[in-house]
């Protein structure tokens, strides 16, 4: 552990914070849209902690079962780990179930992110309805999904550039919007 120092650990942590946890800042927008119920905010924070704990546990299981080298070299170690499950030659092929679960969760995550993006742009530009932005944003996102990540090798290289971009888009921009909202609210009162 920590044979190469603490710097690789910080780099891996930055990768984890930029994707998928940077989206948590976008989902904070949903909490303001739902209801001013404190239970909703509490549920949001609990689910964030629960998902972070689940990622930590799955990472530990992957490292303990597959080893550090194999976990590091495989792009999706949890999928590979699920393919190794075989209980009495009866319960196997769990990776198909995992693939279906990934497909469903990614669909809902992207649907919510599209809603948050359209609603955020509509609020930023003082538009009446966010629905007019859904089709243009979709028509922008579809070609970008092919251009940005054409293959796994390009994705691996792109991660170096993704960190600052995710910081600006996921932390800095929401903080600017939040600060602007505070200033606007003070000027109106």
């Amino acid at each position: 552990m920590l044979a190469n120092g603490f710097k690789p650990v910080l780099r891996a942590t930055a990768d984890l914070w930029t994707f998928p946890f940077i989206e948590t800042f976008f989902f904070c927008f949903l909490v303001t849209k739902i209801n001013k119920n404190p239970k909703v905010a509490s549920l949001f924070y609990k689910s964030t902690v629960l998902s972070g704990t689940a990622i930590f546990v799955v990472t530990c299981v992957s490292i303990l079962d597959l080893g550090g080298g194999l976990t590091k070299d495989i792009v999706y170690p949890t999928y590979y780990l699920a393919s190794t499950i075989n209980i009495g030659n009866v319960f196997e092929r769990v990776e198909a179930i995992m693939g279906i679960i990934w497909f469903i969760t990614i669909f809902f995550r992207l649907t919510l992110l599209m809603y948050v993006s359209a609603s955020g742009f509509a609020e930023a530009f003082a538009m009446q309805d966010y629905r007019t932005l859904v089709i243009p944003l979709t028509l922008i996102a579809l070609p970008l999904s092919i251009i940005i990540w054409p293959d796994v090798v390009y994705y691996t290289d792109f991660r170096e550039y993704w960190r600052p971009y995710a910081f600006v888009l996921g932390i800095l921009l929401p903080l600017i919007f939040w600060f602007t909202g505070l200033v606007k609210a003070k000027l109106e009162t």
Side-chain angles (χ1 to χ4, degrees), residues 34-187:
I34 296 174
N35 210 351
K36 299 295 181 189
N37 189 349
K39 289 182 180 179
V40 173
S42 171
L43 184 64
F44 178 76
Y45 298 128
K46 286 178 185 177
S47 65
T48 302
V49 170
L50 183 67
S51 63
T53 305
I55 287 176
F56 177 75
V57 168
V58 168
T59 302
C60 288
V61 168
S62 295
I63 291 172
L64 291 172
D65 188 34
L66 302 175
L70 191 57
T71 301
K72 177 181 68 84
D73 292 337
I74 297 174
V75 179
Y76 299 107
T78 53
Y79 189 78
Y80 181 80
L81 187 65
S83 70
T84 62
I85 295 174
N86 184 0
I87 301 175
N89 291 331
V90 175
F91 187 69
E92 53 188 19
R93 305 294 297 171
V94 179
E95 72 270 13
I97 297 169
M98 185 173 219
I100 292 169
I101 291 170
W102 273 354
F103 183 78
I104 292 169
T105 55
I106 287 171
F107 172 76
F108 281 109
R109 188 184 82 209
L110 290 178
T111 302
L112 288 173
L113 283 173
M114 182 60 73
Y115 169 73
V116 166
S117 300
S119 296
F121 279 121
E123 257 187 53
F125 295 116
M127 297 176 71
Q128 294 291 333
D129 193 18
Y130 73 93
R131 293 178 206 151
T132 56
L133 293 173
V134 172
I135 291 176
L137 284 176
T138 304
L139 292 175
I140 291 170
L142 285 175
L144 271 179
S145 67
I146 298 168
I147 293 169
I148 289 178
W149 288 330
D151 56 20
V152 175
V153 177
Y154 189 80
Y155 165 71
T156 306
D157 293 337
F158 184 74
R159 284 191 313 188
E160 293 297 319
Y161 306 107
W162 175 252
R163 285 185 208 118
Y165 174 75
F167 174 76
V168 168
L169 194 66
I171 296 175
L172 194 62
L173 203 59
L175 285 176
I176 290 171
F177 283 147
W178 178 63
F179 182 72
T180 306
L182 288 177
V183 170
K184 187 178 176 183
K186 281 215 179 218
L187 290 176

